[in-house]
Amino acid sequence: MTEPTDRTYDMLQQIGEFLKKLKKEEYDSLLAGDSRLMVVPKGARISAGTTRTAEPVALAVDTAQIDADLRSLGDRQSAARYLDDLKLKKAQILQLAKELNVHVRAKDTISQIRDLIVEQKVGHRLAHDAILRQS
């Protein structure tokens, strides 16, 4: 046999031996496409890679009241200060944004989320009011 053919044959034998050692559930999962085989360099750290679903966070503040307060503020800086004074953790401000219908990304920082909330709840209103005054 030629070199590439020999290497392929050896590799298929190793894969076959690996598959023989799998539990039935692991084999079925692999066959169904729910699992996959990977080449991992020797000595590499392997994490479970499990995905967690975010549990809803209970807010200690009234979202409707926050929405009303933000609508009553006259500038972005006051709104940002108001949100900062709530001292919300990331999960809480993510939940607040969700309840206020402000679209954010999970990777956004607390400051970025705050700024998106401020812009949607205060900035858009201020821009709208300015446009109406110019008309």
Side-chain angles (χ1 to χ4, degrees):
M1 282 195 243
T2 63
E3 176 66 22
T5 305
D6 290 342
R7 290 174 52 108
T8 302
Y9 179 75
D10 291 342
M11 183 58 63
L12 287 174
Q13 278 188 314
Q14 287 182 359
I15 292 170
E17 290 301 316
F18 171 78
L19 292 174
K20 284 181 188 177
K21 296 175 186 175
L22 291 178
K23 297 176 187 167
K24 181 183 180 335
E25 299 82 30
E26 294 170 330
Y27 185 84
D28 291 341
S29 177
L30 191 61
L31 193 60
D34 297 332
S35 298
R36 63 184 174 171
L37 295 176
M38 293 178 59
V39 176
V40 180
K42 197 171 196 170
R45 296 186 78 187
I46 301 171
S47 65
T50 58
T51 57
R52 299 184 321 183
T53 55
E55 297 176 18
V57 176
L59 290 174
V61 291
D62 181 19
T63 306
Q65 182 62 48
I66 293 173
D67 193 24
D69 291 345
L70 288 172
R71 290 177 192 276
S72 70
L73 294 172
D75 62 276
R76 290 175 179 89
Q77 293 80 14
S78 298
R81 201 171 324 114
Y82 172 80
L83 289 173
D84 287 340
D85 289 345
L86 294 175
K87 298 188 185 319
L88 300 174
K89 304 274 190 232
K90 183 163 183 188
Q92 293 170 319
I93 200 162
L94 277 169
Q95 184 65 30
L96 176 65
K98 181 179 177 183
E99 291 181 19
L100 292 174
N101 294 318
V102 175
H103 298 284
V104 297
R105 299 173 303 189
K107 69 178 185 177
D108 288 341
T109 65
I110 292 174
S111 298
Q112 290 171 322
I113 296 167
R114 179 205 58 213
D115 292 345
L116 288 168
I117 293 171
V118 167
E119 189 55 36
Q120 183 172 328
K121 296 300 176 182
V122 179
H124 288 170
R125 178 179 44 82
L126 294 174
H128 181 263
D129 292 349
I131 292 169
L132 289 179
R133 278 192 294 267
Q134 288 178 354
S135 304

